[in-house]
Amino acid sequence: MRFWLRNEEMALEEMVQRLNAVSKNTDEIMHQDIVPLCAADIQEQLKKRFAYLSGGRGQDGSPVITFPDYPAFSEIPDKEFQNVMTYLTSIPSLQDAGIGFILVIDRRQDKWTSVKASVLRIAASFPANLQLVLVLRPTGFFQRTLSDIAFKFNRDDFKMKVPVMMLGSVPELHGYIDKSQLTEDLGGTLDYCHSKWLCHRTAIESFALMVKQTAQMLQTFGTELAETELPNDVQSTSLVLSVHTEKKAKAKDDLQLALKEGNSILESLREPLAESTSHSVNQDQLDNQATVQRLLAQLNETEAAFDEFWAKHQQKLEQCLQLRHFEQGFREVKTTLDSMSQKIAAFTDVGNSLAHVQHLLKDLTSFEEKSSVAVDRARALSLEGQQLIENKHYAVDSIHPKCEELQHLCDHFASEITRRRALLSKSLELHSLLEMSMKWCDEGIFLLASQPVDKCQSQDGAEAALQEIEKFLETGAENKIQELNKIYKEYECILNQDLLEHVQKVFQKQESTEEMFHRRQASLKKLAAKQTRPVQPVAPRPEALTKSPSPSPGSWRSSENSSSEGSVPRRGPYRRAKSEMSETRQGRSSSTGDEEENLAILRRHVMNELLDTERAYVEELLCVLEGYAAEMDNPLMAHLISTGLQNKKSILFGNMEEIYHFHNRIFLRELESCIDCPELVGRCFLERMEEFQIYEKYCQNKPRSESLWRQCSDCPFFQECQKKLDHKLSLDSYLLKPVQRITKYQLLLKEMLKYSKNCEGAEDLQEALSSILGILKAVNDSMHLIAITGYDGNLSDLGKLLMQGSFSVWTDHKKGHTKVKELARFKPMQRHLFLHEKAVLFCKKREENGEGYEKAPSYSYKQSLNMTAVGITENVKGDAKKFEIWYNAREEVYIIQAPTPEIKAAWVNEIRKVLTSQLQACREASQHRALEQSHSLPLPAQSSTSPTKGSTRNVKKLEDRKTDPLSLEGYVSSSLPKPPEKGKGWSKTSHSLEAPEEDGGWSSAEELINSSDAEEDGGVGSKKLAPGKYTVVMGDEKEGPDTLAMRSGDMVEVVEEGAEGLWYVRDLTSSKEGWVPASSLSTLLGKSSSAQCLSSSDSSPGSAVLSNSSSCSEGCPTPFSELQG
């Protein structure tokens, strides 16, 4: 760098010296160093032509200056005269001017006095050497005579000033100067044009000035370039190079313009000679040509000096730009390599399973492939730096260390990759060994579990089982861990704490498996040993049988055989029988232990399958997201994406990314934490049940995704991605994976539950299975729900979808034409029902043509029923699969026939739950309103009309329960008097509202006569009083000492029935309490409906309804508008 700066300084100094020389030479050529006058400065004086330099020469080469006849000579100012004389005498070369000038003064037409004055003026102010003054005296007789006489008298004066010769005629003049050196007005042949001479002189001097200015400009520009500080970044360096190149081009243009101007002047000077070869050129013309040629030479010298400097400066800028590019690339590559090295350094995981290690190796290979681009670039950049050094770059001392650092980083990264791969290979080897050992153990345990105990009791069976065990033990040499210390030593480099524990667990499992085999082997050898004497089976004592815990079927059979042969006399001592009984008990306990062990093995197999398939599932999702979804945003793949596929990624893949993140970050890790306790895996599902709702969104989008796939499946983009991923199956197979996975869980949970009946997590497994099945049902229901067409409202306003299914429907409405009713009774309609929390929808199912999801049915909306006005009759005579849904007090009746009784029962139960929840909401609202009214009035004082202490205590308990809005049992408390038998009072008040009656009938207290059949027939059943809230319809304001007065419109609560036909009543409006006779109470309440009691109806068995009462409707918020289609 310093060497280059020194060279640049030398180049600049050399250029400056050369350009200074050009300026100096230009001044010398134009004699500007002596007389700084130019023709352009005194152009007006020169145009007067009172003196001119014709270019003639005397015999000794003296320049001739001619003073032509100029009458106003005496009037010329001294300053102008002096400037013209000075300029004319500066034009000839110094050599010619040194000889002296010859002045030819033509005064033939003038007077002697003027001649004398002109001569004296010229002699006095001529700025150069004078060799001779030739004066053509006046030609008139008198003036000529006068001049002769005066000259004689004044000769001494003229001789002292200048040598003056008075000539009387032109021929005399030719005696001093040759005619070829004199102009035509003096009788000569010299071709002279004053205007042309003046034009040439102006052009030559202007060109000389241009040459000088060009040299000075290039000198300044060169200094500016040399003093420019080199930038430190690529962009600024490129800008400086561009600006300097632009300025250089402009300077070269100015230089070329000057050269063109000089050549043009030279051509103009040579023009007369070119027109006629016989034309003679005077000395001044030759001097002018020589001057222009010398100026052109100086201009060429200027160009050469600048070009040489620019070449060096440009090389410096280009090398600087190369250096900045190299440095920028170095910084980028170094940052990338450092980041990669940090990643590989942080990549310390050696895997916790064989699949994990394989995945890590795959990730390492992928990481190496992606990193190879940066490594290749680093090596290429190092070679580029070496090339700069070979080309003698000025910054060698900066480039060389960077090249070495790049090489070191590449080598270090490659060695780290190699080291990492070696560690993972070791880990893969170890995990393969552990996997083989575990597989061997599992297969061995499965073999032990699969050997039937009863068959092993015989000698042949025992021998066969023994051969199986021995054959299996022979395979242990290849699959077992032989020496633990050897494993520690060989794999010391990868054995972290977790892996060390894993190795120890596997080895312990291997040892315990071998121990089980040896125990089984020993037992089988005993059973297989040939008996040398017959063994008499002995029946165990009865008390031994009763004490034996959970005997196996085989032992029970043997005991039965023994007892059946009890008549055979015993042989052998009692001690032998006792010994055999002890062995039998040990066999039973070992059989139970083996069974538990077998179940543990099977649970482990299910858990392994769950984990393996979960890891594969996560890997497949990642593969799709990276190989397809991410590539849709890759600009390099944009040309392969068809128009119909653009901006459709969210449609094609749905929320697959959300599913992937849930399984990869959360669910898979939680499953792995249960690997040692497979029976507890149910908790993982229960804790994450809300997250599984994301599958509903994916499945709802699946029809759109499949439709888009069918339209664009031939797109080159999919084929290219499939080729890169090396997939045998197309994308649509992988898009189906989430649907397949969510259905797979319930199968695995069923398997796990089957082998975990008596385990700690059995309840969680059962609940998880139910929840997963619920999610599958919700997904299935939502798929049907989105297929509904023709519904004007928002389906989400109807609440949660509870059930959906296809039914046969008959209608039996009170309003309508008789023929329509009769026709409807015999011809059912096929309808698909959707039960929501707030309405039930009737739709017509329509099958669609197409493939896949497009073949799924759609549902045309027909009508809907608001659940606030719906009632049900659970059983319809003649068919166990039918039930009724009626609307608005049976104005509309729909007879529903389910495919099976089970489906009917499920629907009836679900509708019952909806109506019960509505009833509960109405009761809570009514209670809240009553409490507000009671708090607004003063509490009643204790009176003598209060019930007995026991009754008061019961009432207080009842009130306490009513204060809890969540407690429905508070209204039907078991503390009330025991209800009479069926048909003789109100029933089932002590049970929960959701408990169905024994005969299938179930009703709410919409009316005390609650049978739809009785209503249709016009019959009126007997009115039964029941505890609850009522509205007084007839007032009785006569208040006795033991009775309560009530007014019409009061809200009262019938608390309980007392003795002698009295009912204890609380007036909620006046906050008074008291006893009222049953006969009076029935009259006062009239047909008012209870809002809170359950009553049995007088309808036929099995016929029951559930509906909201009128008072309940008043207490509830206004229901949403009726949903009629």
Side-chain angles (χ1 to χ4, degrees):
M1 186 74 176
R2 293 176 182 174
F3 175 74
W4 168 257
L5 291 175
R6 190 164 57 252
N7 285 347
E8 187 181 20
E9 290 174 0
M10 292 173 63
L12 176 63
E13 185 178 352
E14 180 183 352
M15 185 193 72
V16 169
Q17 289 176 355
R18 292 172 68 177
L19 294 180
N20 283 333
V22 168
S23 298
K24 185 177 180 181
N25 292 338
T26 301
D27 288 340
E28 290 176 357
I29 291 170
M30 300 306 298
H31 301 163
Q32 295 291 319
D33 54 337
I34 301 174
V35 182
L37 273 178
C38 297
D41 298 335
I42 57 173
Q43 188 172 6
E44 294 301 323
Q45 293 93 314
L46 291 173
K47 283 183 179 180
K48 292 179 180 180
R49 199 172 175 268
F50 60 84
Y52 61 85
L53 188 66
S54 63
R57 292 290 187 271
Q59 294 178 355
D60 56 356
S62 302
V64 177
I65 295 178
T66 303
F67 288 88
D69 185 29
Y70 191 79
F73 184 80
S74 61
E75 298 176 0
I76 297 173
D78 291 338
K79 182 66 176 175
E80 292 184 6
F81 182 79
Q82 186 67 37
N83 287 340
V84 171
M85 290 297 104
T86 302
Y87 178 73
L88 292 178
T89 55
S90 68
I91 292 175
S93 63
L94 295 177
Q95 183 180 358
D96 292 344
I99 297 173
F101 287 88
I102 298 176
L103 303 182
V104 178
I105 303 174
D106 184 7
R107 290 293 181 266
R108 287 177 291 180
Q109 304 298 327
D110 210 343
K111 298 179 181 180
W112 164 249
T113 55
S114 298
V115 171
K116 180 180 178 182
S118 298
V119 171
L120 292 175
R121 183 178 185 182
I122 293 170
S125 58
F126 194 78
N129 295 331
L130 280 176
Q131 184 182 8
L132 181 63
V133 178
L134 299 176
V135 181
L136 288 175
R137 61 187 178 185
T139 56
F141 176 78
F142 176 76
Q143 294 295 331
R144 185 174 58 191
T145 303
L146 182 60
S147 62
D148 288 340
I149 296 171
F151 183 72
K152 289 179 181 179
F153 285 104
N154 297 297
R155 181 184 295 274
D156 294 336
D157 295 336
F158 288 114
K159 189 175 182 180
M160 289 180 66
K161 303 272 179 156
V162 290
V164 180
M165 300 296 295
M166 288 290 181
L167 303 177
S169 62
V170 172
E172 291 182 22
L173 178 62
H174 294 165
Y176 290 94
I177 302 173
D178 189 79
K179 292 194 320 182
S180 61
Q181 302 299 319
L182 293 173
T183 58
E184 292 180 358
D185 58 340
L186 296 177
T189 60
L190 182 63
D191 184 19
Y192 174 75
C193 176
H194 187 69
S195 60
K196 185 180 291 187
W197 174 87
L198 184 59
C199 180
H200 284 168
R201 287 304 305 174
T202 304
I204 291 171
E205 291 173 358
S206 175
F207 176 61
L209 181 63
M210 183 182 293
V211 171
K212 183 177 180 180
Q213 290 176 347
T214 301
Q216 291 174 349
M217 180 268 294
L218 292 178
Q219 180 180 349
T220 304
F221 179 51
T223 305
E224 177 188 346
L225 296 184
E227 292 177 353
T228 301
E229 187 176 354
L230 297 180
N232 292 324
D233 59 281
V234 173
Q235 185 176 1
S236 300
T237 306
S238 300
L239 182 62
V240 168
L241 180 59
S242 175
V243 171
H244 284 194
T245 304
E246 186 177 349
K247 288 184 178 180
K248 176 254 180 184
K250 186 177 183 302
K252 289 286 288 185
D253 289 343
D254 294 342
L255 196 62
Q256 292 299 321
L257 185 64
L259 286 171
K260 184 178 180 181
E261 180 70 17
N263 289 322
S264 176
I265 293 172
L266 188 61
E267 289 294 327
S268 176
L269 293 175
R270 291 174 177 175
E271 186 177 354
L273 186 62
E275 292 177 355
S276 174
T277 54
S278 61
H279 180 77
S280 60
V281 181
N282 60 44
Q283 187 62 41
D284 281 353
Q285 290 175 333
L286 292 175
D287 289 345
N288 286 342
Q289 292 180 17
T291 299
V292 173
Q293 288 174 344
R294 290 175 64 188
L295 289 173
L296 286 172
Q298 293 301 313
L299 198 59
N300 289 328
E301 170 65 13
T302 300
E303 183 179 19
F306 179 74
D307 286 346
E308 184 176 344
F309 170 78
W310 170 255
K312 294 180 180 180
H313 181 72
Q314 185 181 26
Q315 182 185 11
K316 179 192 74 170
L317 287 180
E318 289 176 349
Q319 288 187 351
C320 178
L321 184 60
Q322 292 172 351
L323 177 63
R324 299 298 177 251
H325 276 294
F326 176 77
E327 290 175 343
Q328 179 177 338
F330 172 79
R331 288 192 295 269
E332 293 174 355
V333 169
K334 186 177 184 302
T335 301
T336 305
L337 289 178
D338 288 342
S339 175
M340 287 161 38
S341 298
Q342 290 176 1
K343 288 181 180 179
I344 199 68
F347 197 27
T348 58
D349 193 1
V350 292
N352 53 21
S353 65
L354 182 63
H356 191 196
V357 176
Q358 291 172 343
H359 183 74
L360 290 176
L361 276 170
K362 186 178 179 182
D363 287 347
L364 181 64
T365 303
S366 175
F367 177 72
E368 185 179 14
E369 290 175 356
K370 293 178 181 178
S371 305
S372 62
V373 178
V375 175
D376 293 342
R377 185 185 174 194
R379 296 190 185 279
L381 192 63
S382 178
L383 292 176
E384 182 181 335
Q386 294 295 337
Q387 190 67 36
L388 292 177
I389 294 174
E390 292 177 3
N391 292 338
K392 298 180 180 180
H393 195 281
Y394 70 85
V396 174
D397 53 348
S398 173
I399 297 173
H400 185 68
K402 290 182 173 63
C403 292
E404 291 183 345
E405 186 174 359
L406 286 174
Q407 193 65 38
H408 171 72
L409 288 173
C410 292
D411 294 342
H412 175 71
F413 179 75
S415 64
E416 284 296 310
I417 288 286
T418 304
R419 185 186 67 83
R420 179 66 188 157
R421 180 172 284 105
L423 290 177
L424 288 177
S425 299
K426 273 286 187 184
S427 179
L428 182 68
E429 183 180 336
L430 177 59
H431 279 290
S432 298
L433 183 59
L434 296 175
E435 194 82 12
M436 288 171 58
S437 178
M438 290 181 65
K439 186 177 179 182
W440 182 81
C441 293
D442 290 342
E443 290 177 354
I445 295 172
F446 189 77
L447 174 62
L448 294 177
S450 61
Q451 288 183 341
V453 179
D454 52 349
K455 291 185 179 179
C456 294
Q457 301 300 323
S458 65
Q459 183 175 354
D460 294 338
E463 288 178 351
L466 188 60
Q467 289 178 1
E468 287 181 354
I469 288 177
E470 290 175 348
K471 184 177 180 181
F472 180 80
L473 287 174
E474 291 176 359
T475 63
E478 301 174 357
N479 301 316
K480 290 192 307 180
I481 300 175
Q482 301 299 334
E483 297 181 17
L484 198 58
N485 291 331
K486 186 178 180 182
I487 295 293
Y488 291 160
K489 184 176 180 180
E490 185 175 354
Y491 300 101
E492 182 180 2
C493 56
I494 61 170
L495 280 177
N496 54 33
Q497 186 62 32
D498 294 337
L499 190 54
L500 184 63
E501 292 177 358
H502 184 47
V503 171
Q504 292 172 350
K505 286 182 180 179
V506 172
F507 189 73
Q508 291 172 2
K509 181 178 179 180
Q510 179 180 296
E511 287 184 331
S512 61
T513 303
E514 289 178 335
E515 185 179 353
M516 284 191 293
F517 266 89
H518 292 320
R519 287 203 305 266
R520 180 67 64 86
Q521 191 177 26
S523 301
L524 290 175
K525 283 182 178 180
K526 291 181 181 179
L527 292 173
K530 293 183 179 180
Q531 304 292 335
T532 55
R533 55 185 177 179
V535 178
Q536 174 64 38
V538 179
R541 289 184 176 181
E543 59 267 26
L545 290 177
T546 57
K547 293 180 181 179
S548 176
S550 61
S552 63
S555 61
W556 281 116
R557 279 195 298 271
S558 62
S559 64
E560 289 173 2
N561 294 335
S562 301
S563 53
S564 63
E565 297 173 1
S567 57
V568 180
R570 294 184 180 178
R571 295 180 184 178
Y574 170 75
R575 186 177 298 174
R576 182 181 300 173
K578 187 175 181 181
S579 167
E580 289 176 355
M581 283 185 62
S582 176
E583 290 179 3
T584 304
R585 291 182 182 178
Q586 292 178 1
R588 289 171 187 166
S589 61
S590 63
S591 175
T592 304
D594 290 343
E595 184 179 357
E596 287 298 325
E597 192 171 353
N598 294 345
L599 291 175
I601 293 168
L602 295 172
R603 287 196 296 270
R604 194 175 297 111
H605 275 288
V606 176
M607 190 65 197
N608 289 338
E609 182 182 359
L610 176 59
L611 279 174
D612 292 342
T613 53
E614 184 73 12
R615 292 188 184 111
Y617 174 57
V618 170
E619 187 70 25
E620 287 169 345
L621 291 182
L622 178 62
C623 195
V624 171
L625 291 172
E626 289 184 345
Y628 286 97
E631 289 297 310
M632 290 185 73
D633 299 326
N634 186 356
L636 301 178
M637 300 285 283
H639 66 286
L640 299 176
I641 300 177
S642 61
T643 306
L645 191 60
Q646 291 178 357
N647 302 322
K648 299 289 181 63
K649 184 170 76 170
S650 60
I651 296 177
L652 185 61
F653 297 98
N655 62 331
M656 180 181 284
E657 184 175 358
E658 184 182 6
I659 293 174
Y660 165 73
H661 288 314
F662 163 62
H663 284 272
N664 182 51
R665 297 174 181 173
I666 301 173
F667 196 60
L668 177 58
R669 297 180 182 179
E670 293 183 355
L671 289 179
E672 288 174 343
S673 66
C674 296
I675 190 169
D676 294 328
C677 301
E679 62 276 4
L680 301 182
V681 76
R683 296 177 185 173
C684 297
F685 285 90
L686 291 176
E687 291 173 358
R688 298 298 171 186
M689 203 51 65
E690 289 186 8
E691 281 88 340
F692 276 106
Q693 303 295 332
I694 57 179
Y695 279 91
E696 185 172 343
K697 181 179 178 182
Y698 185 85
C699 293
Q700 288 178 353
N701 181 69
K702 199 67 177 69
R704 300 173 64 202
S705 175
E706 283 212 348
S707 177
L708 179 62
W709 167 255
R710 276 191 298 277
Q711 296 173 17
C712 307
S713 58
D714 296 333
C715 179
F717 169 78
F718 294 123
Q719 299 172 4
E720 181 65 21
C721 291
Q722 184 177 352
K723 182 180 178 182
K724 285 183 178 179
L725 295 171
D726 195 22
H727 281 178
K728 295 180 181 179
L729 300 176
S730 55
L731 174 61
D732 59 327
S733 300
Y734 291 92
L735 293 177
L736 196 59
K737 293 290 183 182
V739 181
Q740 295 172 338
R741 187 59 184 169
I742 192 64
T743 55
K744 176 74 172 176
Y745 285 130
Q746 55 104 4
L747 299 176
L748 293 170
L749 285 172
K750 284 180 181 177
E751 286 294 308
M752 184 65 78
L753 184 60
K754 185 167 68 174
Y755 304 132
S756 309
K757 292 294 184 182
N758 300 321
C759 295
E760 177 186 350
E763 294 182 1
D764 290 340
L765 285 170
Q766 182 62 56
E767 188 176 352
L769 176 60
S770 301
S771 300
I772 285 291
L773 291 174
I775 287 178
L776 292 176
K777 177 183 177 300
V779 169
N780 183 54
D781 290 346
S782 67
M783 297 297 291
H784 289 275
L785 190 62
I786 62 176
I788 295 177
T789 59
Y791 183 72
D792 294 334
N794 189 352
L795 290 172
S796 61
D797 293 340
L798 304 182
K800 181 180 178 183
L801 176 64
L802 304 175
M803 300 191 76
Q804 55 84 24
S806 295
F807 299 89
S808 298
V809 179
W810 290 265
T811 58
D812 186 7
H813 302 340
K814 290 181 179 180
K815 298 180 181 181
H817 201 274
T818 307
K819 289 184 178 180
V820 177
K821 292 175 64 177
E822 292 176 355
L823 179 63
R825 289 181 180 274
F826 296 101
K827 187 177 181 181
M829 297 176 292
Q830 298 302 318
R831 290 290 183 262
H832 201 90
L833 271 61
F834 293 87
L835 177 62
H836 292 261
E837 290 176 328
K838 297 181 181 180
V840 57
L841 271 62
F842 289 77
C843 299
K844 186 174 182 179
K845 185 176 181 181
R846 301 185 186 277
E847 296 290 344
E848 299 290 342
N849 297 323
E851 298 178 359
Y853 280 92
E854 288 188 357
K855 196 175 181 181
S858 65
Y859 303 98
S860 299
Y861 168 77
K862 293 301 181 182
Q863 66 184 122
S864 60
L865 303 179
N866 193 331
M867 292 302 292
T868 58
V870 162
I872 62 167
T873 303
E874 296 187 15
N875 297 316
V876 176
K877 296 177 182 178
D879 196 337
K881 296 184 291 184
K882 289 182 180 180
F883 64 98
E884 284 183 354
I885 296 179
W886 46 266
Y887 193 63
N888 281 344
R890 301 190 66 86
E891 286 185 1
E892 300 176 18
V893 179
Y894 300 88
I895 302 172
I896 313 295
Q897 184 182 42
T900 64
E902 291 76 15
I903 294 178
K904 170 209 165 180
W907 272 73
V908 168
N909 288 335
E910 199 64 40
I911 294 174
R912 185 192 299 128
K913 290 179 183 179
V914 173
L915 299 182
T916 302
S917 63
Q918 291 180 354
L919 180 59
Q920 180 181 356
C922 289
R923 288 176 174 175
E924 291 174 357
S926 178
Q927 178 190 4
H928 180 67
R929 186 176 60 193
L931 288 175
E932 286 181 350
Q933 293 176 356
S934 63
H935 286 313
S936 64
L937 297 174
L939 293 174
Q942 190 75 20
S943 64
S944 60
T945 57
S946 299
T948 61
K949 292 182 179 180
S951 300
T952 305
R953 194 162 46 248
N954 293 337
V955 172
K956 187 173 182 180
K957 289 182 180 179
L958 188 63
E959 289 176 350
D960 292 340
R961 295 187 181 181
K962 288 179 184 177
T963 56
D964 183 7
L966 300 178
S967 175
L968 230 64
E969 290 81 31
Y971 299 115
V972 288
S973 173
S974 59
S975 64
L976 293 176
K978 185 176 180 180
E981 295 179 3
K982 185 177 179 183
K984 297 182 181 179
W986 51 279
S987 63
K988 292 191 180 288
T989 56
S990 62
H991 296 284
S992 170
L993 289 176
E994 294 185 3
E997 297 182 7
E998 294 179 0
D999 61 353
W1002 191 90
S1003 65
S1004 68
E1006 180 187 15
E1007 295 182 3
L1008 295 177
I1009 300 174
N1010 208 8
S1011 169
S1012 57
D1013 296 333
E1015 184 183 341
E1016 285 187 350
D1017 297 338
V1020 178
S1022 61
K1023 186 172 182 180
K1024 303 294 183 181
L1025 284 174
K1029 293 181 181 179
Y1030 296 83
T1031 302
V1032 177
V1033 297
M1034 292 181 64
D1036 182 12
E1037 299 183 2
K1038 296 179 180 180
E1039 183 173 2
D1042 297 325
T1043 59
L1044 177 67
M1046 294 179 288
R1047 294 187 300 272
S1048 177
D1050 284 356
M1051 176 70 70
V1052 298
E1053 180 180 4
V1054 178
V1055 179
E1056 68 175 349
E1057 183 179 9
E1060 300 178 358
L1062 294 177
W1063 284 80
Y1064 189 72
V1065 178
R1066 180 185 295 111
D1067 191 339
L1068 299 178
T1069 304
S1070 63
S1071 300
K1072 294 182 178 180
E1073 300 176 354
W1075 292 95
V1076 180
S1079 58
S1080 301
L1081 188 60
S1082 299
T1083 305
L1084 293 172
L1085 300 183
K1087 293 184 179 181
S1088 173
S1089 300
S1090 169
Q1092 300 187 16
C1093 70
L1094 293 174
S1095 66
S1096 62
S1097 65
D1098 296 335
S1099 59
S1100 60
S1103 176
V1105 292
L1106 172 60
S1107 178
N1108 294 325
S1109 66
S1110 57
S1111 60
C1112 176
S1113 299
E1114 293 171 4
C1116 292
T1118 304
F1120 66 101
S1121 59
E1122 214 170 281
L1123 303 172
Q1124 292 291 343

